[in-house]
């Protein structure tokens, strides 16, 4: 059997993950980003251990051995998800969509909110995956970069699309072809996470802010601009503004984007690079305009009508959290049935109405309007065709690229 070099995390990769865990996307609860409840940071010792041990030799992508499927005999699913990423009943205990699934199919779902961040969760399941063992989970939900890594290492089961008719038919076009899983052979998105431009209309004197160029060059915004401390979001938005595709950029393009932001740092146009802690400053007006996560903006707008967002004509970055079936999961067919269930339009609408993230299910607007018309018209939850057409994904990176890019980005932001 061919051996593969263990995949280790470099110092820049670890530093980027620490930033994410303390105040970046890894620190977000998945429904109310202003209530930072339930997020556990991974200790530095844990990160160090993850790096030191590396990842053992694994099969090539797509070579995960098919496990024995016990779905017919065992009517159950073990489902691991992020906190506040599933609809809850008025009693604050029941899970209406999961309960309806069980009533329809007879398949019981053990639902566990045990994912607080991608790195910590990967540390939990990596030993079993590396040893060729069942993780005890039939569905897990992880962000793009970790989904890509799990698939690349051969630790995800290839999906049987015969069991996924609704998912196959209803998946929105903008999520169909990620470069790390072409054709969605191993994954389906749970939600999308857009990166947009946000501004406080009072702080800008009523002026709209709708481009990275404006953020970096408008003298009236000097010292009142922030970018995100997540490399893919800030660099991706800057690349788009420069006319470069984040899905195909070169090293030279990346360096040019870093240089563009460095000028903003040097001239003090950029106040700081932040995680989701920019929200308080944006509400107060200390930050007039910024690169922001759409989930934050939905929450802020509920309390402050001066908070606005814009989609640059150059486009915007979208990532996603994705459903995977780990290698050696016992209930693959049952898991596929549940994945497909969440692509049925009424079910997708019910979930979207609760979690308020971009719904990856096409054609759901009518069902969502039955629940809440304002949500059905909110393009941060249901992007219209014009907005969806501007969505771009940051391309997958090799380990060497990620190390080099994170090192340059850390220098830029002073991390």
């Amino acid at each position: 059997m061919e051996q593969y070099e263990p995949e280790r995390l470099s110092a820049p990769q670890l530093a980027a993950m620490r930033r994410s865990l303390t105040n970046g996307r890894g620190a977000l609860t998945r429904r109310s980003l202003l209530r930072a409840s339930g997020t556990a940071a991974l200790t530095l010792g844990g990160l160090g251990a993850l790096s030191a041990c590396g990842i053992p030799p694994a099969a090539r992508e797509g070579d995960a051995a098919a496990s024995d499927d016990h779905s017919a005999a065992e009517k159950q699913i073990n489902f691991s998800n992020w906190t506040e990423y599933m609809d809850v009943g008025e009693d604050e205990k029941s899970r209406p969509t999961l309960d309806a699934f069980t009533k329809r199919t007879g398949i019981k779902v053990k639902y566990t909110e045990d994912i607080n961040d991608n790195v910590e969760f990967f540390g939990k399941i990596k030993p079993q995956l590396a040893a060729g063992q069942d993780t005890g989970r039939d569905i897990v939900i992880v962000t793009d970069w970790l989904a890509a890594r799990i698939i690349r290492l051969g630790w995800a089961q290839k999906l049987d699309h015969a069991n996924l008719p609704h998912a196959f038919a209803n998946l929105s076009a903008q999520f169909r072809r990620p470069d790390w899983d072409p054709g969605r052979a191993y994954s389906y998105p749970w939600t999308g996470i857009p990166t947009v431009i946000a501004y406080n209309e009072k702080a800008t004197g009523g002026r709209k802010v709708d481009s990275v160029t404006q953020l970096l060059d408008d003298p009236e915004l000097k010292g009142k601009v922030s970018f995100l401390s997540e490399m893919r979001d800030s660099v991706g938005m800057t690349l788009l503004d420069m006319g470069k595709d984040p899905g195909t950029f070169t090293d030279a393009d990346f360096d040019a984007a870093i240089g563009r932001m460095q000028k903003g740092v040097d001239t003090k146009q950029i106040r700081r690079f932040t995680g989701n802690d920019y929200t308080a400053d944006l509400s107060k007006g200390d930050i007039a305009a910024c690169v922001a996560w759409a989930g934050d903006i939905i929450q802020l707008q509920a309390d402050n009508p001066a908070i606005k967002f814009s989609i640059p004509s150059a486009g915007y970055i979208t990532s996603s959290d994705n459903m995977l079936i780990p290698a050696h999961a016992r209930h693959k067919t049952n898991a596929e049935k549940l994945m497909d269930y969440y692509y049925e339009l009424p079910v997708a609408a019910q979930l979207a109405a609760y979690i308020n993230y971009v719904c990856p299910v096409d054609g759901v607007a009518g069902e969502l309007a039955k629940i809440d018309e304002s949500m059905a018209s909110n393009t941060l939850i249901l992007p219209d065709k014009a907005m969806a057409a501007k969505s771009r994904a940051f391309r997958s990176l090799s380990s060497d690229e990620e190390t080099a890019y994170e090192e340059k980005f850390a220098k830029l932001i002073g991390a």
Side-chain angles (χ1 to χ4, degrees), residues 5-9 47-57 122 126-127 130 149 153 155:
E5 193 66 26
E7 183 172 322
R8 300 177 184 273
L9 298 177
L47 280 169
L50 181 60
S51 176
C53 66
I55 297 175
F122 190 50
K126 181 176 68 66
R149 178 171 292 174
L153 291 168
W155 291 346

Side-chain angles (χ1 to χ4, degrees), residues 3 57 75-76 138 190 216 243 284 289 310 322 333 370 408:
Q3 298 294 301
K75 295 293 186 180
Q76 65 185 71
D138 300 302
W190 183 251
L216 290 174
K284 291 186 295 184
S310 62
N322 308 275
T333 299
K370 295 176 184 177
K408 291 175 181 179

Side-chain angles (χ1 to χ4, degrees), residues 52-71:
C53 66
I55 297 175
R60 290 181 177 177
E61 178 181 341
D63 287 344
S67 61
D68 292 331
D69 190 351
H70 299 268
S71 293

Side-chain angles (χ1 to χ4, degrees), residues 26 80 165 177 182 263 279 368:
S80 284
R177 296 176 181 84
K263 181 181 177 181
T279 54
L368 187 55

Side-chain angles (χ1 to χ4, degrees), residues 1-2 4 58-66 150-158 186 327-328:
M1 174 177 164
E2 186 175 354
Y4 294 87
R60 290 181 177 177
E61 178 181 341
D63 287 344
I150 290 172
I151 292 169
R152 185 173 69 244
L153 291 168
W155 291 346
Q157 294 199 50
K158 194 168 187 178
Y186 297 88
H328 305 287

